[in-house]
Amino acid sequence: MPRQLPLSVALDGSTHTPAEPLTADHWAGLIGLAEQGALDFVTLDDSFARPPDHSPGRLDAVAVLARVAPVTSRIGLVPTVTTTHTEPFHTSTSLATLDFVSAGRAGWLVDVSATPAEARAVGRRLQAPAAELWAEAADAVEVATRLWDGWEDDAEIRDAATGRFIDRDRLHCLDFEGPHFSVHGPSIVPRPPQRRPPVAIALDVHDSDGQWELAASHADVVLLDADEPTTARLARTALLHRVTEAGRDPDTLRVLIRVAVDLGGGTGPGVGPGTPPPAEVRFTGSAGATVHPRAGHRADRPAVLHRLPGPGRRRDRRVRADRRRRRLLLVPHLTPGGLDEFVDRVVPLLQERGVFRTDMRARPCATTSNCRRHTQGGRSEPPMNLQSQEPRSEPVAVHA
């Protein structure tokens, strides 16, 4: 039986159009659709940058996902939270709160604010070099994770007889002193259901060294942008080498390829709900960049990574070759307008091929080492599935 393919979706927090309401219900509908399609998790972009001219504005990603959490039950919720112009104490408490209201499904996509416009919008400090911003981000992640660990599991005693809610001896200060900030602690929010919500980093092969160092030292998940499969494979190897140099077990890091999804003519004349899904899936390169085609490919066509085998057909040789790239997984990067088409057309195709789940099964904890089950109403709820304890899935290229 083929191994199951993890799939997730990235949503841009500023992709509203003037005709769409600027409400959390809009995102609740999109993320509910992703959960209906049995996707693993969703990331929601956020930034201090000015939204595009066609957009009426941007809602706070953590607040939106906190609103969505009660109307979803299985999908992971990963907001982008910048570490520039923010305080790590507040970031830690807001993400811990999101983990509680989602019953252990929160994550954190770390980013920085590097433009002069963002610095002017906040008015707190001047623009800083990228190396300084990513070093600050590393300190912010370190502070947040230590604040999450500052409460022991049994710190809440709720002793009505003595009027004590917590045992102060089971709360721990971190006394962090760094070049960017100092934090005494402890946190005002108890330890999150996942203990440490997974930390994700979006990484490009051309990103700064500080960003790679942050990914190697702190990330649980890396969302990798690469122009073609060979580049992605080399980048993953280099990243795992850095993880080892940082003193971490490379098996604790999950690397997912972030790709744009091209449904191969999903719009236009003659295409509609009854149109058959595409027979092959193509690799269009990184989520935000133009692909550099390999030799022999036309410049106006995306490079084919491999075909999806139909029922009763032998797998293409390129599928078998992909066994050398274990743990190199795909994260379709979609606009909201294309999510319904992906769920309606591509997900059933993958399920028919036996490479994608048919429902949101109970899944293992997000981190392999620091995880406690969150119990609610007498039953255990599994946290989000970013760092699975199951065997790694074979990479099956999906293209839409």
Side-chain angles (χ1 to χ4, degrees):
M1 180 179 179
R3 292 182 179 179
Q4 299 297 292
L5 172 70
L7 285 177
S8 304
V9 61
L11 297 175
D12 185 345
S14 62
T15 51
H16 286 276
T17 67
E20 293 172 332
L22 191 63
T23 65
D25 287 344
H26 173 79
W27 296 112
L30 287 172
I31 297 170
L33 180 63
E35 183 171 73
Q36 176 185 332
L39 303 190
D40 288 275
F41 65 93
V42 59
T43 63
L44 183 57
D45 189 33
D46 202 354
S47 170
F48 290 125
R50 178 180 175 178
D53 291 339
H54 68 272
S55 171
R58 177 188 288 113
L59 298 180
D60 180 83
V62 175
V64 168
L65 295 181
R67 164 65 176 81
V68 170
V71 296
T72 58
S73 60
R74 291 291 181 180
I75 193 166
L77 306 173
V78 185
T80 298
V81 181
T82 178
T83 59
T84 315
H85 314 302
T86 58
E87 294 291 341
F89 187 91
H90 298 153
T91 298
S92 170
T93 56
S94 64
L95 291 169
T97 301
L98 178 60
D99 204 45
F100 272 106
V101 299
S102 65
R105 292 182 287 128
W108 177 15
L109 180 54
V110 179
D111 201 1
V112 300
S113 301
T115 67
E118 291 171 291
R120 289 194 300 269
V122 177
R124 179 186 171 199
R125 57 189 276 193
L126 298 176
Q127 179 191 16
E132 178 181 335
L133 294 180
W134 286 107
E136 179 185 35
D139 284 351
V141 175
E142 175 70 19
V143 167
T145 54
R146 289 172 61 180
L147 284 169
W148 292 332
D149 281 338
W151 285 55
E152 296 182 16
D153 288 341
D154 53 358
E156 295 181 50
I157 55 176
R158 306 190 184 197
D159 188 346
T162 61
R164 297 168 64 215
F165 177 72
I166 58 173
D167 183 346
R168 294 178 61 88
D169 293 335
R170 297 172 185 173
L171 303 184
H172 305 286
C173 299
L174 63 156
D175 292 322
F176 180 90
E177 294 284 346
H180 311 287
F181 40 72
S182 59
V183 180
H184 177 65
S187 176
I188 59 174
V189 179
R191 177 177 285 174
Q194 295 181 93
R195 291 196 175 186
R196 296 185 179 186
V199 172
I201 306 290
L203 193 63
D204 186 274
V205 294
H206 305 297
D207 280 331
S208 68
D209 191 66
Q211 197 165 345
W212 279 72
E213 288 299 321
L214 173 59
S217 59
H218 291 287
D220 301 298
V221 179
V222 166
L223 308 178
L224 180 64
D225 284 328
D227 292 333
E228 60 179 26
T230 299
T231 304
R233 186 167 64 252
L234 293 174
R236 175 183 171 275
T237 300
L239 176 61
L240 295 183
H241 178 70
R242 290 200 183 205
V243 171
T244 301
E245 288 184 333
R248 299 176 59 200
D249 182 355
D251 285 338
T252 63
L253 177 67
R254 168 161 284 189
V255 180
L256 305 110
I257 304 179
R258 189 165 63 167
V259 298
V261 174
D262 170 16
L263 282 173
T267 59
V271 177
T275 304
E280 67 182 27
V281 186
R282 307 185 189 101
F283 184 87
T284 60
S286 62
T290 304
V291 65
H292 301 291
R294 297 194 296 268
H297 285 282
R298 285 177 47 181
D300 60 344
R301 291 182 178 176
V304 176
L305 183 57
H306 64 65
R307 297 178 185 274
L308 287 173
R313 294 174 55 188
R314 293 178 55 189
R315 285 177 177 263
D316 188 282
R317 285 182 299 173
R318 285 166 289 185
V319 178
R320 292 198 296 270
D322 275 348
R323 293 184 182 277
R324 297 192 301 268
R325 295 195 292 271
R326 293 185 65 182
R327 297 185 294 177
L328 204 57
L329 309 176
L330 302 178
V331 180
H333 189 280
L334 304 169
T335 62
L339 180 57
D340 54 350
E341 192 170 8
F342 184 85
V343 170
D344 291 342
R345 297 179 62 206
V346 179
V347 167
L349 176 66
L350 297 174
Q351 292 170 337
E352 179 186 357
R353 299 322 192 239
V355 296
F356 190 59
R357 70 177 71 88
T358 57
D359 56 36
M360 296 293 284
R361 302 175 307 237
R363 296 168 301 178
C365 294
T367 55
T368 57
S369 57
N370 296 309
C371 182
R372 65 187 175 97
R373 297 177 69 85
H374 176 71
T375 303
Q376 185 176 39
R379 59 190 182 91
S380 296
E381 297 290 342
M384 67 183 297
N385 184 33
L386 288 184
Q387 281 285 87
S388 173
Q389 293 174 330
E390 295 175 340
R392 308 291 187 176
S393 299
E394 298 287 354
V396 179
V398 198
H399 210 216

